[in-house]
Amino acid sequence: MSDTPRFAVIVPAYNEAENIPALFAALKSTFEKHSLDGEVVIVDDGSTDKTYELAVAEAAKFGPNAQVVRHRRNLGKTEGMVSGSRVATADVLVVFDADLQHSTEEIPRFLQKIDEVLPIAIIEDDVGAVHTSIPGV
């Protein structure tokens, strides 16, 4: 069995200090309830409030599968997603909003749909060419 988490939740955050504790509580609850093997990457996108400090404290409580990345200035949500994907170790990325506009309970449902719909095989042949195959297509 691999030590790499199955998926990563990437959370770009800009001035979300008031939401960070509730976000981590909801993620921890969902991970435990559904026995999820994932990681959490919070990307502080140059916040001017205490988003970074609170995210670091909450990540420490969450455990080794949580980390925080910090942009020195606001670069936008897309750059937050890119930065998060660069540090994530999982192959499956779930982008999530820091303001909890969606329930963390959507994460297991999303992962189930990935398993149902996208059984993709990646195969490297003798000469190093990579081929992808979607069974049944």
Side-chain angles (χ1 to χ4, degrees), residues 25-127:
L27 287 167
K28 188 165 190 71
S29 174
T30 298
F31 277 42
E32 289 174 354
K33 178 179 176 183
H34 298 281
S35 300
L36 297 179
D37 176 27
E39 64 184 322
V40 175
V41 180
I42 306 293
V43 181
D44 174 49
D45 191 29
S47 296
T48 57
D49 63 2
K50 297 289 185 189
T51 296
Y52 178 75
E53 293 81 0
L54 285 167
V56 168
E58 293 295 329
K61 290 190 264 182
F62 191 89
N65 279 357
Q67 57 184 315
V68 181
V69 176
R70 186 178 204 182
H71 292 166
R72 291 184 184 173
R73 62 184 176 87
N74 183 260
L75 300 175
K77 186 173 184 176
T78 300
E79 287 302 317
M81 292 185 292
V82 170
S83 295
S85 69
R86 285 186 178 143
V87 301
T89 61
D91 292 329
V92 174
L93 305 178
V94 177
V95 178
F96 202 81
D97 291 324
D99 63 4
L100 289 169
Q101 71 176 348
H102 304 289
S103 170
T104 56
E105 288 295 316
E106 294 295 322
I107 295 169
R109 229 179 59 157
F110 179 73
L111 295 172
Q112 179 184 4
K113 288 295 179 190
I114 287 175
D115 290 342
E116 290 173 7
V117 179
L118 294 177
I120 298 174
I122 299 174
I123 303 157
E124 186 171 349
D125 64 20
D126 295 347
V127 294

